[in-house]
Amino acid sequence: MGRINIEKLNKAYANRRKLPRSDESPQLRKGDDIIVLKDIDLKISDGEMVCFLGPSGCGKSTLLRIIAGFEDLSSGKVRINGKSVNGPSADHIFVFQHSGLFPWMTVAQNVGLGVRHLSSDGRHKRIGEFLEMVELEGFEQHYPRQLSGGMQRRAELARALAVNPDILIMDEPFSGLDFLTHMKMREEVVNMHAFIQKTILLVTHNIDDALIMGDRVVILGGSPTGVAMDRKLEFPRPRNFEKSPELSRLRSELFLMMGVNYAV
Ligand SMILES: Nc1ncnc2c1ncn2[C@@H]1O[C@H](COP(=O)(O)OP(=O)(O)O)[C@@H](O)[C@H]1O
Ligand SMILES: [Mg+2]
């Protein structure tokens, strides 16, 4: 199960920079709190794929790190399956990170990292299944440097899935990929989500990614950052902007929200 309940979450960092203070515009002093996230309320259901959008620096990664238990919140509550988050939990949550393959291990060894508790047979089976899902059968004994960038990213995905977490967190998982590989990976994640039906929280700065992939899109924005929009996406899949005027309209709306008037 991967239910997430966020209530009145606030996050502030202490300002570490000393700034000059003038009487007309009193500025932040060293040690003052900088509020990053304010009053975030979100309920995420089991199996939902939620795509988070928002301007750079608005606190998307901070929010995901708090959910994953890597970072403390300042006030409020985050509950996963009814239990308060209290530090990282490898049982429930897997954070997908790119460039996370160990170069001295083969693809199979990398994918097998999270399933060391299984018997040798079970481990083999699991590794095989997930490498097949990401179309990397036959590359078990290759080392990461022998794979293309896209193949490495798929191996990372297989490793995340092999762990079988309740919640998969992906922070800008397609960054640095070329256009076609990005499109293919996007399809792959959609297919894999349909298959595993786990909760996925995906941060992207790409509006199209969010609209093509998500069961729901949450836009973070404002100052301090709050939930600027929270919309379910009940469009049939595979999604296509040209074939769905409604999806296309929503796309223009989101671009406008992000300050772009004429999106192509
Ligand atoms: N450890 C930290 N200490 C102080 N400020 C931080 C820290 N981590 C992030 N921030 C600040 O919090 C804000 C949100 O950062 P982040 O969550 O990385 O944004 P995003 O992922 O949306 O680009 C930024 O202004 C950043 O400078
Ligand atoms: Mg970030």
Side-chain angles (χ1 to χ4, degrees):
M1 272 236 296
R3 257 186 311 121
I4 306 169
N5 203 344
I6 301 171
E7 273 171 40
K8 288 234 166 300
L9 181 149
N10 289 290
K11 172 73 184 176
Y13 288 113
N15 179 33
R16 286 183 294 204
R17 282 170 59 198
K18 216 174 185 163
L19 292 170
R21 195 176 160 90
S22 84
D23 285 335
E24 293 107 60
S25 58
Q27 282 178 327
L28 215 55
R29 279 189 295 191
K30 203 173 170 186
D32 284 353
D33 275 352
I34 302 178
I35 300 171
V36 179
L37 299 169
K38 188 162 170 60
D39 288 341
I40 307 275
D41 281 306
L42 281 173
K43 272 198 173 84
I44 295 167
S45 330
D46 185 33
E48 202 170 21
M49 164 135 57
V50 184
C51 293
F52 291 89
L53 283 169
S56 182
C58 78
K60 303 180 294 296
S61 299
T62 303
L63 177 63
L64 292 198
R65 283 204 305 273
I66 292 173
I67 296 172
F70 294 150
E71 192 142 359
D72 286 338
L73 37 72
S74 303
S75 68
K77 269 231 148 25
V78 176
R79 289 196 199 89
I80 294 182
N81 301 327
K83 278 204 194 131
S84 285
V85 171
N86 189 9
S89 147
D91 294 348
H92 292 306
I93 301 187
F94 190 91
V95 181
F96 172 86
Q97 273 168 322
H98 57 85
S99 41
L101 295 175
F102 290 118
W104 62 88
M105 289 184 181
T106 62
V107 168
Q109 286 166 340
N110 267 292
V111 174
L113 272 175
V115 288
R116 279 167 297 181
H117 58 286
L118 297 180
S119 67
S120 164
D121 279 356
R123 200 162 57 232
H124 254 88
K125 193 162 162 278
R126 184 79 72 89
I127 293 170
E129 270 169 23
F130 286 99
L131 281 178
E132 194 186 323
M133 195 188 289
V134 298
E135 294 174 39
L136 277 180
E137 320 92 303
F139 291 93
E140 290 81 354
Q141 300 316 317
H142 284 60
Y143 286 89
R145 65 172 185 282
Q146 299 172 297
L147 306 180
S148 71
M151 288 159 87
Q152 289 181 17
R153 206 64 67 94
R154 299 213 301 274
E156 287 151 11
L157 195 55
R159 181 169 75 183
L161 298 175
V163 174
N164 197 25
D166 293 329
I167 299 167
L168 184 59
I169 288 183
M170 308 177 98
D171 194 348
E172 306 204 9
F174 310 133
S175 63
L177 293 176
D178 64 80
F179 181 75
L180 276 179
T181 312
H182 176 160
M183 295 296 115
K184 279 166 82 172
M185 272 292 285
R186 181 162 92 181
E187 265 183 31
E188 209 125 10
V189 173
V190 170
N191 294 339
M192 157 213 112
H193 178 246
F195 183 73
I196 60 167
Q197 307 257 311
K198 301 285 173 133
T199 307
I200 298 183
L201 311 182
L202 185 144
V203 162
T204 169
H205 52 260
N206 185 317
I207 291 176
D208 291 356
D209 279 352
L211 292 178
I212 294 290
M213 302 174 77
D215 294 319
R216 176 175 169 192
V217 56
V218 172
I219 302 187
L220 299 177
S223 180
T225 297
V227 175
M229 184 199 252
D230 183 352
R231 179 87 63 100
K232 281 226 187 316
L233 303 172
E234 281 160 339
F235 302 95
R237 292 188 170 90
R239 293 180 184 155
N240 184 318
F241 292 109
E242 275 152 32
K243 291 190 186 138
S244 168
E246 213 186 320
L247 190 61
S248 229
R249 259 197 307 277
L250 181 58
R251 179 174 184 266
S252 308
E253 194 186 322
L254 297 199
F255 270 106
L256 262 180
M257 266 187 86
M258 313 290 265
V260 179
N261 292 309
Y262 303 103
V264 283

